[in-house]
Amino acid sequence: MSAQSPTPEPMVTGPHDPEHDPKASYALEPEYVEALTARIVSTTGATSPTYSPIHGQPLANIPQSSVDDVAEAFRRARRAQAAWARTSLDDRAQMLLRLHDLVLDRQDEIVDLICWETGKARKHAFEEPVHIALTARYYGRTAHRHLDSERRLGILPLLTRAEVNRVPKGVVGIIAPWNYPFSLALCDGLPALLAGNAVVTKPDAQTMLTALLGAQLLEEAGFPKDLWQVVAGPGRELGTPLIKSSDYVCFTGSTATGKVIAQQCAERLIGCSLELGGKNPLLVLRDASVERAAEGAIRASFASAGQLCMSTERIFVADQIYDRFVERLVARTEALSLGASLDWDVDMGTLISPDQVETVTAHVADALAKGARVLTGGKARPDLGPYYYEPTILEGVTPDMTCFAEETFGPVISLYRFHDEADAIDRANAGRYGLNASIFSQDGDRARWIARQIKAGSVNINEAYGATFGSVDTPMGGMRESGMGRRQGGEGIHRFTETQAVATQRLLRFSPQFGLSEETYAKVQTANFRLLKKLGRA
């Protein structure tokens, strides 16, 4: 669909109002689904059904791509990229700014689709269009800062002009996850497009429609049709062909899969950025506001039902305020509303699949069997829907329990006391991950000093995750087994470019002139270098 084409209206079979029975059957209009799925490169004739986790109802039949379809997607993308690389930077930036407006204008449609496909609460789904709007506006406004050629020092002042160009890599492959299906389907690709690349993306099978809506909005914003290709199918079948054809790969998902992708990229000597697992800590220092820390911990732990890579799973609390903090945290958790609704009155939605329910249930059962205590929650809620699980707080978790060090990726947190801040830092840094952390304290300087000692790619102070997540001028990514590379900021766009050095030599050449011998020429150059040092030149 072009930017001038009429936009199909998203429709549901039941009315969308707060009084409507949340268990009523929602269904997308076939015409709407057909318009979205037509963007998939698929010649197989095969389809795969998708279901809403809210009540297990069918949403769509998704056309499936073959290995040959992946090759065709890259063929189209490379052809489009050759022309796109010649498009002016100002024109590319303007398309991002148009996308910003489109996303904000269509946010209700986007959020509805996110809720249908993931089952998350509307207030958490709202974060996704906001993040994409921020990302589009940021790169649209800072395009020249990141991509203009830069003058550098030449070897000889005035006689050598040196500069660095940012050259697009070509076609970027993106393997996107299900947990933030709009944000993570687009946020890596936007700077890739601005840098002059094309994109071939494989969204997760559970959330294809949301990712396809993102592709539709890109086209409506003015991006060329073939510049953003979408394929659909199992990662075990399409992942390797996608990596073999890409010039750079972005992946968000599990650490185990990330390691495989890193190996495949290394074999081809291409770069990759990987945002992987986490076991994120939150530190509540003795001077923290108990109420603010408890509120922040709720969002840090139970946003999107804990299915957020930045989500907190371990909370370390100073002895002096531990009991008061736990009392407020439990009370706030028990006050959360769970349910199936597309409206704003639900605090936490559902897990996305039976696999997630199985993992969460197993982690809690293992902890209880080995002596941990449930302060609240601790059980599935099939009365609400097939994959609902209560927000759960555990105490007494020990290293022999699975949830102590392994990522749960669900609404389960473990509480730990600490007396000495150095001990809390050591415990927060324990394990193999290092993605996100939070610190609550009324002493900002001290909290920032502690943050420098935390092994995490991002640290939020007096906030759960939104401060770094929304600050798109700052890089975001993981340390250790939480990944490599960064999205956002300058690092987030420079990864999609090759740096090219160009130097122009004027008047003098780098060889003897004016009758000088090689020996005399070497002495003259040595004297020049000594003089340049005395003059303070780098």
Side-chain angles (χ1 to χ4, degrees):
M1 181 182 302
S2 68
Q4 291 75 36
S5 300
T7 303
E9 291 293 329
M11 302 292 288
V12 296
T13 56
H16 179 189
D17 64 70
E19 301 302 318
H20 182 57
D21 177 6
K23 293 189 177 183
S25 175
Y26 290 102
L28 297 170
E29 286 291 339
E31 295 83 359
Y32 182 68
V33 172
E34 184 179 354
L36 293 179
T37 56
R39 298 177 178 278
I40 299 171
V41 181
S42 174
T43 59
T44 65
T47 62
S48 179
T50 61
Y51 303 89
S52 173
I54 295 177
H55 292 302
Q57 295 161 333
L59 284 178
N61 287 306
I62 305 297
Q64 298 296 284
S65 305
S66 66
V67 172
D68 289 341
D69 291 326
V70 174
E72 173 62 15
F74 275 92
R75 187 190 67 80
R76 296 180 190 176
R78 291 200 182 280
R79 183 179 58 198
Q81 191 272 332
W84 178 246
R86 297 190 293 270
T87 303
S88 75
L89 188 56
D90 287 332
D91 286 347
R92 297 181 214 160
Q94 282 303 310
M95 293 176 200
L96 284 181
L97 295 177
R98 286 198 292 272
L99 179 67
H100 169 275
D101 295 343
L102 271 172
V103 168
L104 293 182
D105 291 344
R106 303 268 289 278
Q107 62 179 280
D108 285 342
E109 175 188 354
I110 297 166
V111 170
D112 278 352
L113 205 49
I114 292 169
C115 290
W116 279 318
E117 288 203 300
T118 68
K120 67 174 64 178
R122 191 172 193 85
K123 65 180 181 180
H124 300 140
F126 172 70
E127 296 173 352
E128 300 199 44
V130 168
H131 183 238
I132 290 305
L134 289 173
T135 301
R137 188 181 72 206
Y138 169 77
Y139 283 116
R141 294 294 189 203
T142 60
H144 287 284
R145 185 213 302 179
H146 297 309
L147 296 175
D148 280 354
S149 296
E150 302 174 29
R151 290 290 294 271
R152 300 290 179 89
L153 294 173
I155 185 173
L156 296 176
L158 303 178
L159 300 179
T160 308
R161 168 178 170 149
E163 55 197 350
V164 173
N165 298 327
R166 295 284 179 178
V167 180
K169 285 184 176 289
V171 180
V172 174
I174 297 177
I175 303 173
W178 51 260
N179 60 322
Y180 270 62
F182 189 75
S183 179
L184 295 179
L186 294 181
C187 69
D188 288 318
L190 298 187
L193 294 180
L194 182 64
N197 300 281
V199 168
V200 174
T201 178
K202 193 201 82 64
D204 190 274
Q206 298 170 99
T207 52
M208 285 295 303
L209 296 178
T210 305
L212 290 166
L213 176 57
Q216 174 184 297
L217 293 175
L218 286 169
E219 193 172 329
E220 291 181 30
F223 288 94
K225 179 178 180 180
D226 284 345
L227 198 65
W228 187 280
Q229 297 290 316
V230 182
V231 295
R236 63 183 178 275
E237 296 177 12
L238 303 188
T240 295
L242 185 146
I243 292 167
K244 286 184 176 180
S245 296
S246 297
D247 299 306
Y248 189 92
V249 174
C250 296
F251 171 75
T252 304
S254 72
T255 295
T257 302
K259 289 180 178 180
V260 173
I261 291 172
Q263 292 173 346
Q264 292 179 333
C265 290
E267 289 176 357
R268 296 192 56 235
L269 295 179
I270 63 170
C272 62
S273 54
L274 312 169
E275 186 182 290
L276 309 177
K279 193 71 178 176
N280 304 312
L282 185 152
L283 279 64
V284 184
L285 306 188
R286 61 179 177 271
D287 68 334
S289 164
V290 170
E291 200 64 36
R292 181 171 182 178
E295 185 278 333
I298 292 292
R299 286 187 293 108
S301 307
F302 303 134
S304 297
Q307 300 167 117
L308 166 62
C309 55
M310 313 292 282
S311 182
T312 291
E313 295 196 8
R314 301 178 293 151
I315 301 181
F316 301 90
V317 187
D319 273 333
Q320 295 89 336
I321 62 170
Y322 183 88
D323 292 336
R324 286 186 291 139
F325 174 82
V326 171
E327 179 185 357
R328 294 305 302 143
L329 183 67
V330 170
R332 280 182 169 274
T333 300
E334 292 178 342
L336 294 175
S337 61
L338 279 67
S341 173
L342 298 185
D343 297 299
W344 295 94
D345 56 352
V346 170
D347 293 317
M348 195 184 90
T350 177
L351 296 170
I352 196 170
S353 68
D355 288 344
Q356 293 303 116
V357 177
E358 182 180 347
T359 297
V360 172
T361 301
H363 279 207
V364 173
D366 173 76
L368 295 182
K370 295 174 180 175
R373 299 174 298 282
V374 172
L375 300 186
T376 189
K379 58 182 182 292
R381 291 294 301 275
D383 55 309
L384 298 175
Y387 312 135
Y388 283 82
Y389 199 96
E390 293 179 335
T392 301
I393 302 174
L394 300 178
E395 198 177 46
V397 172
T398 55
D400 62 325
M401 301 174 187
T402 304
C403 70
F404 180 83
E406 293 300 315
E407 184 179 33
T408 303
F409 215 65
V412 179
I413 52 175
S414 304
L415 299 179
Y416 306 89
R417 289 178 180 264
F418 73 83
H419 178 71
D420 179 72
E421 287 180 355
D423 175 57
I425 294 168
D426 286 343
R427 291 161 72 185
N429 287 335
R432 57 196 178 104
Y433 296 116
L435 187 57
N436 183 55
S438 301
I439 302 171
F440 281 79
S441 170
Q442 297 186 65
D443 186 342
D445 289 340
R446 178 156 187 79
R448 284 186 288 274
W449 179 80
I450 290 175
R452 295 177 64 90
Q453 302 174 64
I454 300 293
K455 295 176 181 177
S458 58
V459 181
N460 294 267
I461 295 172
N462 294 327
E463 170 51 32
Y465 57 85
T468 54
F469 185 57
S471 299
V472 291
D473 193 36
T474 63
M476 189 176 80
M479 298 181 182
R480 300 188 290 181
E481 290 198 14
S482 286
M484 55 189 290
R486 295 291 183 269
R487 61 167 56 105
Q488 303 191 162
E491 294 91 333
I493 191 168
H494 289 162
R495 58 184 166 153
F496 300 122
T497 65
E498 301 284 4
T499 53
Q500 179 191 60
V502 178
T504 304
Q505 187 61 29
R506 303 185 181 99
L507 299 177
L508 297 180
R509 62 178 184 264
F510 289 104
S511 61
Q513 298 177 79
F514 313 116
L516 295 179
S517 67
E518 293 284 358
E519 182 179 3
T520 303
Y521 170 75
K523 290 178 180 178
V524 170
Q525 288 288 57
T526 299
N528 286 337
F529 297 151
R530 294 187 189 281
L531 175 62
L532 290 173
K533 184 194 174 195
K534 288 183 179 180
L535 294 175
R537 192 176 187 279

